[in-house]
């Protein structure tokens, strides 16, 4: 019984800390997106995802954004209205293929260029304070949790896109 309570307590800490970290980091990004580019966080997530995968289906985008299909579709319509993405029809007419327009590519490139070499997001100044081995362990644990809870496809996408960011 004591072991179960200890495990439940640890699970609570993991969940609560991850949720809090996500909220604070997302808010930092949200403020910068709105002030600098007039974008909402949900629309930017889609742009960000499409910058790595040039063409995706709505279902694939939904899977990576961790939202439902109707929310994904609403965000895509906003981006389409701004001429930032195109919503095309796949070979299977029930499937929609999404890709960035030239305007969308330019916007994402601008954001990446302005923030990938020096950033003022609070997260990065804190990451620099964490010992390299501790950060490596945290990433390993997070990767394990991601594989187990979100699946291989999501985790592989995160790793692949992280590797890409090292190269730009």
């Amino acid at each position: 019984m004591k072991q179960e309570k200890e495990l439940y307590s640890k699970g609570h800490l993991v969940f609560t800390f991850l949720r809090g970290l996500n909220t604070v980091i997302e808010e930092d990004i949200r403020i910068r997106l709105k002030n600098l580019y007039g974008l909402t966080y949900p629309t930017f997530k889609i742009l960000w995802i499409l910058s790595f995968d040039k063409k995706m289906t709505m279902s694939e985008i939904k899977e990576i954004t961790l939202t439902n299909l109707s929310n994904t579709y609403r965000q895509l319509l906003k981006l389409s209205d701004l001429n930032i993405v195109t919503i095309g029809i796949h070979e299977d007419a029930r499937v929609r293929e999404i890709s960035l327009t030239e305007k969308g590519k330019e916007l994402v490139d601008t954001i990446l260029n302005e923030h990938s070499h020096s950033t003022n997001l609070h997260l990065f100044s804190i990451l620099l304070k964490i010992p390299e081995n501790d950060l490596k362990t945290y990433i390993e644990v997070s990767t394990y949790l991601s594989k187990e809870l979100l699946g291989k496809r999501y985790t592989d996408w995160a790793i692949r896109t992280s590797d890409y960011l090292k190269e730009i």
Side-chain angles (χ1 to χ4, degrees):
M1 184 72 149
K2 183 172 171 58
Q3 268 186 322
E4 290 170 348
K5 287 185 176 188
E6 185 71 26
L7 186 59
Y8 195 76
S9 172
K10 287 177 183 175
H12 164 75
L13 283 176
V14 168
F15 171 74
T16 304
F17 288 150
L18 288 175
R19 187 167 184 264
L21 290 170
N22 180 68
T23 300
V24 169
I25 293 166
E26 190 175 298
E27 185 60 21
D28 196 17
I29 295 168
R30 183 184 319 274
I31 290 168
R32 293 168 204 291
L33 287 171
K34 184 176 181 185
N35 292 342
L36 296 173
Y37 309 103
L39 293 173
T40 64
Y41 186 75
T43 56
F44 177 72
K45 279 196 318 188
I46 291 172
L47 292 178
W48 182 254
I49 290 164
L50 287 170
S51 72
F52 296 106
D53 293 296
K54 303 307 178 209
K55 194 177 276 190
M56 296 178 79
T57 66
M58 273 198 284
S59 294
E60 291 168 331
I61 292 170
K62 172 196 80 79
E63 184 177 348
I64 301 298
T65 59
L66 302 174
T67 60
N68 60 51
L69 201 52
S70 63
N71 185 44
T72 300
Y73 184 66
R74 279 193 308 275
Q75 301 308 320
L76 287 169
L77 286 179
K78 290 177 190 177
L79 292 168
S80 179
D81 289 345
L82 295 170
N83 193 31
I84 294 175
V85 301
T86 58
I87 303 173
I89 297 176
H90 186 265
E91 296 163 1
D92 179 346
R94 297 170 293 177
V95 176
R96 301 286 182 249
E97 283 188 332
I98 316 303
S99 58
L100 290 175
T101 63
E102 282 305 312
K103 180 180 175 182
K105 289 175 192 172
E106 289 173 13
L107 178 60
V108 173
D109 286 345
T110 297
I111 294 170
L112 274 173
N113 289 333
E114 290 178 4
H115 299 283
S116 64
H117 298 292
S118 67
T119 184
N120 54 1
L121 289 177
H122 194 61
L123 169 67
F124 296 108
S125 63
I126 295 170
L127 288 178
L128 290 171
K129 296 176 185 177
I130 299 173
E132 188 63 35
N133 269 353
D134 291 347
L135 187 55
K136 182 180 177 195
T137 300
Y138 178 80
I139 291 170
E140 288 170 356
V141 169
S142 296
T143 301
Y144 178 79
L145 288 170
S146 179
K147 280 181 187 173
E148 293 296 316
L149 297 172
L150 299 168
K152 183 177 175 4
R153 187 173 180 170
Y154 180 88
T155 305
D156 288 349
W157 183 88
I159 293 168
R160 178 175 54 82
T161 55
S162 172
D163 289 343
Y164 172 79
L165 290 171
K166 293 177 202 172
E167 302 300 319
I168 60 170

